[in-house]
Amino acid sequence: MKHLFIFTLLLLQIKVEAQTSALAIADSLYTLGNYSKAINEYSKVGGLSAALQIARSYNAVGNYEKAIIQYQYVVDEDVENQLAQFELGKLLLKVNRFDEAKPVFINLSNLNTTNPEFQFYLGEVNRHLDAADSSLKHYEKAIKLDSTHLRSLFQLAKHYTIKQERDNALKYILQGLDYYENDVSLINLHALVLFNDSQFEKAIPLFERLLELGEDKDYVYEKLGISYRRNWEFKKAKEAYAILLKRDDTNSQTYFDLASVYQKESKLDSAKIYINKAMAVQKPIFANGYNQLAYIAREQKDLEKAFKLFERAHKEDTSNAFIYYNIATTYDQFGTDLKKKLGYYENFLKNYPNQHPYYYETAKKRISELKEEIHFTKD
């Protein structure tokens, strides 16, 4: 009996050692990225730990369906295994199975109420399910649990930036930057909030900082060009647009923006050159080009030419109320036919009734004045 007991212990020891050896081989294969062979070795070992590693291996090779099945097996066998549930939830989110991911993260947040990551991912799931209010609440909960949770701070800041709620956006942006001043995403949002608020002087150093941090992207130069121009830094604006044109000399908007710089400098001949270049590459309409040329002609006191250019712009884009308003006001300045003047303003009210209230009220006032002039002229 004693010999049998010792023999059994030896068999168990050999089995454990064999499993340990097989597990070590499987772990080594997994660590080195040899996932297919690792799966075979883990299958020999058995058990929940090996099953979790098999799920991770399938995930690593991109076989997400098998990974999900394997993760689900582990979770079903061990309902309190937070790590397996967390990896399963993130994978479901990755493959856009949001409805399935949601209960996983809800369960995790119930198992561990102090983990900000679980709240963040609940926010992500709800965001993808178009439940904006719920997603914001979960991001806020994540921040309450960890005031430095940058991804939650970014999502909240991004939401309020898009909504153009300046104060709320800045609250979360500055909170994040106070923790990590070189966070590119938050610096970008900070710059955009100031840009959208027309605080160009304050936005400029932030866009410049993005370039220093390696965000050498077209949109940064576009926003910088506009900011420099609006801040009367014309040389720097030209430099920004020159970089954009070097990258893409077929972008009509860059030529138009560059023309605006020369126009602000009162270098109208140069402005016309760049407007014509813009129109040469512009597809499919020329409304913007004709409109800008009309403004230049008006600055040069050639009102009749400006009027004709505004008309050409309007033919290209009949939906643009402001172009038609310029037709009316320009003819009003040089034209002599009172009835024709009246007709332009009346057409503006008729065709563009829901446009800018200032232009609408100005047109109504001018109609009243013209009717009075016509009446006295008849008398």
Side-chain angles (χ1 to χ4, degrees):
M1 191 74 174
K2 183 180 178 181
H3 292 296
L4 180 62
F5 177 71
I6 294 170
F7 181 70
T8 304
L9 284 176
L10 287 171
L11 284 177
L12 286 171
Q13 185 178 352
I14 292 168
K15 185 178 179 182
V16 169
E17 287 176 354
Q19 282 185 321
T20 303
S21 176
L23 186 61
I25 293 169
D27 285 343
S28 177
L29 290 167
Y30 177 85
T31 302
L32 293 171
N34 199 340
Y35 300 114
S36 295
K37 287 186 178 180
I39 289 169
N40 291 331
E41 293 300 322
Y42 284 126
S43 298
K44 295 176 186 177
V45 175
L48 289 182
S49 295
L52 181 58
Q53 287 300 103
I54 290 171
R56 288 169 174 165
S57 299
Y58 279 129
N59 193 2
V61 297
N63 193 334
Y64 301 134
E65 289 303 316
K66 283 191 175 181
I68 289 168
I69 291 169
Q70 201 70 24
Y71 275 124
Q72 195 62 60
Y73 165 74
V74 176
V75 170
D76 290 342
E77 292 295 312
D78 183 3
V79 294
E80 294 193 0
N81 190 324
Q82 293 183 38
L83 187 56
Q85 288 187 64
F86 188 38
E87 291 179 16
L88 172 61
K90 287 192 289 184
L91 180 54
L92 290 168
L93 189 62
K94 182 178 182 178
V95 296
N96 301 328
R97 288 162 65 168
F98 308 120
D99 287 318
E100 295 174 59
K102 187 174 182 177
V104 175
F105 286 114
I106 289 174
N107 189 52
L108 280 170
S109 64
N110 290 331
L111 286 171
N112 189 340
T113 58
T114 62
N115 191 323
E117 280 290 287
F118 299 160
Q119 293 298 330
F120 168 74
Y121 279 104
L122 263 176
E124 290 292 276
V125 168
N126 281 287
R127 179 168 66 88
H128 286 291
L129 290 171
D130 295 324
D133 290 342
S134 295
S135 69
L136 295 178
K137 287 177 183 176
H138 288 294
Y139 295 137
E140 287 167 356
K141 285 181 180 178
I143 293 167
K144 283 182 181 178
L145 293 169
D146 178 4
S147 62
T148 66
H149 200 276
L150 289 174
R151 284 172 297 161
S152 294
L153 289 166
F154 170 76
Q155 288 297 345
L156 286 164
K158 181 183 175 183
H159 171 81
Y160 289 117
T161 299
I162 292 170
K163 293 289 185 181
Q164 295 193 1
E165 295 184 26
R166 176 184 174 278
D167 292 341
N168 281 330
L170 286 175
K171 171 187 171 183
Y172 295 110
I173 290 168
L174 296 177
Q175 185 175 336
L177 289 174
D178 187 54
Y179 172 68
Y180 181 40
E181 63 181 2
N182 290 329
D183 188 286
V184 169
S185 298
L186 289 172
I187 293 171
N188 181 42
L189 289 180
H190 194 188
L192 288 175
V193 168
L194 296 175
F195 179 89
N196 292 335
D197 201 38
S198 299
Q199 296 187 52
F200 302 109
E201 187 175 0
K202 291 182 180 179
I204 286 170
L206 294 172
F207 285 124
E208 291 174 336
R209 182 67 179 141
L210 287 174
L211 294 176
E212 290 173 8
L213 292 170
E215 287 294 289
D216 188 42
K217 296 179 180 178
D218 288 355
Y219 83 91
V220 178
Y221 286 105
E222 288 166 9
K223 293 289 189 292
L224 257 179
I226 294 169
S227 299
Y228 285 140
R229 188 180 82 223
R230 296 292 294 273
N231 203 44
W232 299 86
E233 297 182 59
F234 301 133
K235 183 181 178 182
K236 288 185 177 181
K238 291 174 188 175
E239 289 170 356
Y241 292 132
I243 291 170
L244 287 172
L245 289 175
K246 191 174 181 180
R247 294 179 177 184
D248 180 9
D249 61 0
T250 64
N251 190 328
S252 62
Q253 188 57 52
T254 306
Y255 286 113
F256 282 129
D257 289 337
L258 191 51
S260 295
V261 176
Y262 283 106
Q263 196 172 342
K264 270 185 170 280
E265 290 183 306
S266 297
K267 297 178 180 178
L268 302 183
D269 289 337
S270 295
K272 284 192 279 188
I273 289 170
Y274 284 104
I275 291 170
N276 286 319
K277 283 185 178 182
M279 293 172 70
V281 298
Q282 190 179 34
K283 301 171 186 177
I285 63 171
F286 303 99
N288 193 14
Y290 288 132
N291 196 45
Q292 279 194 252
L293 285 171
Y295 277 117
I296 289 174
R298 198 156 69 177
E299 281 187 54
Q300 293 175 325
K301 310 301 181 186
D302 191 344
L303 295 176
E304 191 168 355
K305 183 178 180 181
F307 173 76
K308 289 177 181 178
L309 286 165
F310 280 131
E311 282 195 315
R312 292 181 72 178
H314 185 255
K315 284 180 182 179
E316 295 288 344
D317 184 6
T318 56
S319 66
N320 193 316
F322 304 114
I323 293 176
Y324 194 84
Y325 182 79
N326 282 324
I327 290 174
T329 56
T330 304
Y331 184 80
D332 196 6
Q333 286 179 278
F334 82 92
T336 56
D337 189 328
L338 294 176
K339 288 185 178 180
K340 196 171 180 180
K341 291 182 182 184
L342 178 64
Y344 281 123
Y345 284 114
E346 287 180 332
N347 284 335
F348 175 76
L349 294 188
K350 178 183 176 183
N351 296 323
Y352 309 101
N354 298 315
Q355 299 301 320
H356 196 289
Y358 170 78
Y359 296 107
Y360 193 81
E361 291 302 318
T362 303
K364 282 173 66 177
K365 182 181 178 182
R366 189 64 185 126
I367 285 171
S368 178
E369 292 170 349
L370 285 166
K371 284 182 176 179
E372 192 172 337
E373 285 185 54
I374 292 169
H375 175 73
F376 283 117
T377 301
K378 284 181 180 178
D379 289 342

